[in-house]
């Protein structure tokens, strides 16, 4: 992992009426940015001793990869998926599994970590000119999709059906954001913004002593990014799921990378992006994916039931972008 460190110019706190009477300079904010987990990250924080923590955060990323990266042949998740159920699971795995199970139950399976065989069949690793899978293939793969076939007992994964596999891709990024935020908090940092691949958690204030304002992108495909709106995060997380940038093309048609586990097909409704606002980023990330499966109205119901705020951008009958959001979702 390559990490770049940037120190921002310190903010001087002036006190009293005398123009030149200044307090000691406040600690500088540090920016760490780079690539990890197949995406980009940016952490901005203020540590009282101006430590940069890059080595510790690097090893934190490594330990998360060792637990749940499908791209690491030695990771716990890869070994479990290869059939080794005698393996001792680690704390990150158990935490993400438990959060996933909770989200699956409350969304009645709209969110499901056993979805990988369908994700593969719909082909993020396939060539574009291949036809989509047949109904028959989808039907047979659907027998491997059911989060209720997995549980954890005495720190080990119990599989009630052979070949059911685990895919944390829809929630691992949110968990990583929480892990970095919790690491900073343990170090005594109270002013921070942690962002990995667009999932964000922020606490306290930025270097201008203001709340952290985070943009939500317009759901457009082009490389250019345009802001739809801005949210002020007050010790909260914001996770966005969208079908506008990550999709696959099969037989000349575009398919979302979010699969409806009930039908076995990529979701096709008019919801383009779902942004979930709540205290922790693990759940926010998982619920954002669930919203993409559920569509506009059911997502609003889910937000009420669970107690999170949601901002939904969808395409209306006229082909225009329209927004629906929960009552407590405040934008600037
Ligand atoms: P987004 O950036 O849109 O939130 P994520 O990267 O969080 O997307 O999640 C997409 C990945 O989630 C897919 O590549 C797939 O591995 C997994 N996934 C797809 N559909 C589901 C689902 N219904 N439940 C859980 N995971 C899913
Ligand atoms: Mg997600």
């Amino acid at each position: 992992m390559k990490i770049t460190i940037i120190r921002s110019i310190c903010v001087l706190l002036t006190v009293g009426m005398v123009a030149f009477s200044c307090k000691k300079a406040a600690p500088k904010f540090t920016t760490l940015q780079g690539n990890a987990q197949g995406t980009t990250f940016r952490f901005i924080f203020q540590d009282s001793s101006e430590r940069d923590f890059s080595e510790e955060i690097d090893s934190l990323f490594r330990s998360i990869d060792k637990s749940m990266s499908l791209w690491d042949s030695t990771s716990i998740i890869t070994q479990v998926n290869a059939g080794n159920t005698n393996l001792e699971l680690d704390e990150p795995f158990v935490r993400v599994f438990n959060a996933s199970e909770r989200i699956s139950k409350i969304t009645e399976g709209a969110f499901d970590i056993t979805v990988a065989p369908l994700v593969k069949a719909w082909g993020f690793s396939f060539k574009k000119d291949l036809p989509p899978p047949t109904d028959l293939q989808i039907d047979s793969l659907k027998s491997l999709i059911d989060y209720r076939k997995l549980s954890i007992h005495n720190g080990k994964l119990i599989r009630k059906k052979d070949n059911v596999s685990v895919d944390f891709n829809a929630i691992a990024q949110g968990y990583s954001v929480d892990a970095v935020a919790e690491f900073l908090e343990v170090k005594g940092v109270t002013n921070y913004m942690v962002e990995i691949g667009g999932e964000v958690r922020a606490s306290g204030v930025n270097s201008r002593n203001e709340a952290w304002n985070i943009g939500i992108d317009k759901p457009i495909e082009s490389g250019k990014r345009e802001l739809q709106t801005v949210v002020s995060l007050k010790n909260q997380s914001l996770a966005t799921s969208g079908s506008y940038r990550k999709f696959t093309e099969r037989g000349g048609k575009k398919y979302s990378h979010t699969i409806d586990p009930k039908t076995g097909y990529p979701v096709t409704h008019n919801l383009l992006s779902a942004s979930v606002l709540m205290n922790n980023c693990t759940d926010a990330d998982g619920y954002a994916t669930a919203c993409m499966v559920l569509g506009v109205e059911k997502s609003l119901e889910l937000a009420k039931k669970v107690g999170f705020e949601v901002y939904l951008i969808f395409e209306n009958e006229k082909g225009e972008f329209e927004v629906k959001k929960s009552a407590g979702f405040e934008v600037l």
Side-chain angles (χ1 to χ4, degrees):
M1 179 177 63
K2 193 178 165 296
I3 301 185
T4 313
I5 304 167
I6 302 164
R7 296 272 195 216
S8 59
I9 298 160
C10 68
V11 180
L12 282 177
L13 293 177
T14 53
V15 286
M17 300 292 286
V18 187
F20 298 105
S21 106
C22 296
K23 234 185 173 179
K24 189 176 167 284
K28 289 173 190 162
F29 277 73
T30 299
T31 300
L32 294 182
Q33 55 190 34
N35 295 289
Q37 303 183 336
T39 186
T40 57
F41 67 82
R42 197 156 63 109
F43 312 141
I44 307 174
F45 55 89
Q46 184 185 40
D47 174 55
S48 54
S49 331
E50 299 186 357
R51 294 167 290 182
D52 74 61
F53 300 125
S54 49
E55 273 169 36
E56 289 99 323
I57 290 175
D58 195 14
S59 65
L60 183 62
F61 271 128
R62 262 189 250 271
S63 65
I64 295 172
D65 279 351
K66 278 283 161 239
S67 178
M68 60 189 85
S69 171
L70 291 170
W71 290 271
D72 180 337
S73 60
T74 64
S75 69
I76 291 179
I77 199 166
T78 304
Q79 293 186 63
V80 157
N81 286 344
N84 185 354
T85 44
N86 210 18
L87 209 66
E88 198 72 46
L89 306 172
D90 63 2
E91 197 254 354
F93 192 106
V94 174
R95 248 180 85 177
V96 174
F97 183 92
N98 288 339
S100 300
E101 195 178 46
R102 208 172 50 240
I103 297 168
S104 292
K105 279 185 184 154
I106 207 155
T107 62
E108 292 169 7
F111 182 86
D112 193 321
I113 52 161
T114 64
V115 80
L118 286 170
V119 175
K120 258 188 223 132
W122 281 101
F124 289 95
S125 49
F126 277 76
K127 290 202 180 83
K128 284 180 180 173
D129 49 3
L130 283 178
T134 63
D135 291 354
L136 208 66
Q137 283 168 323
I138 289 168
D139 256 2
S140 95
L141 290 174
K142 264 168 66 185
S143 67
L144 292 175
I145 319 299
D146 186 354
Y147 70 94
R148 288 163 298 199
K149 297 282 184 279
L150 298 175
S151 60
I152 291 179
H153 190 65
N154 289 339
K156 291 181 180 165
L157 192 77
I158 309 292
R159 211 196 305 230
K160 287 175 209 131
K161 184 171 184 166
D162 283 348
N163 298 324
V164 171
S165 59
V166 187
D167 173 351
F168 286 147
N169 283 347
I171 192 168
Q173 240 168 48
Y175 168 76
S176 303
V177 168
D178 281 336
V180 174
E182 284 163 20
F183 165 82
L184 291 173
E185 284 181 7
V186 166
K187 296 291 178 188
V189 174
T190 52
N191 294 325
Y192 64 78
M193 191 283 303
V194 170
E195 182 258 331
I196 306 175
E199 323 299 12
V200 190
R201 177 162 156 174
S203 165
V205 291
N206 64 18
S207 60
R208 292 183 303 279
N209 209 28
E210 295 161 353
W212 298 95
N213 292 337
I214 308 296
I216 294 178
D217 286 344
K218 277 204 173 124
I220 44 177
E221 279 167 30
S222 70
K224 227 174 75 194
R225 291 179 74 169
E226 270 183 57
L227 282 191
Q228 164 82 22
T229 190
V230 177
V231 190
S232 189
L233 289 191
K234 299 179 183 78
N235 302 334
Q236 287 162 308
S237 301
L238 181 74
T240 298
S241 248
S243 56
Y244 53 100
R245 221 172 276 137
K246 289 188 205 150
F247 53 81
T248 184
E249 272 183 80
R250 302 291 297 273
K253 212 174 156 215
K254 280 180 188 158
Y255 294 98
S256 161
H257 70 156
T258 308
I259 307 280
D260 184 342
K262 294 243 161 49
T263 63
Y265 285 78
V267 293
T268 53
H269 51 63
N270 61 350
L271 180 55
L272 300 170
S273 121
S275 299
V276 170
L277 187 65
M278 63 195 303
N279 55 357
N280 80 83
C281 204
T282 310
D283 288 27
D285 197 8
Y287 282 121
T289 296
C291 287
M292 286 311 297
V293 176
L294 293 170
V296 177
E297 296 309 324
K298 284 190 181 154
S299 294
L300 292 170
E301 284 168 26
L302 179 69
K304 248 192 204 150
K305 189 160 134 192
V306 177
F308 61 76
E309 303 299 336
V310 70
Y311 186 96
L312 305 162
I313 310 172
F314 62 98
E315 194 178 307
N316 66 19
E317 283 120 42
K318 289 183 224 150
E320 302 158 342
F321 289 167
E322 210 176 301
V323 170
K324 279 198 183 177
K325 58 186 185 68
S326 55
F329 199 111
E330 286 173 22
V331 293
L332 294 181

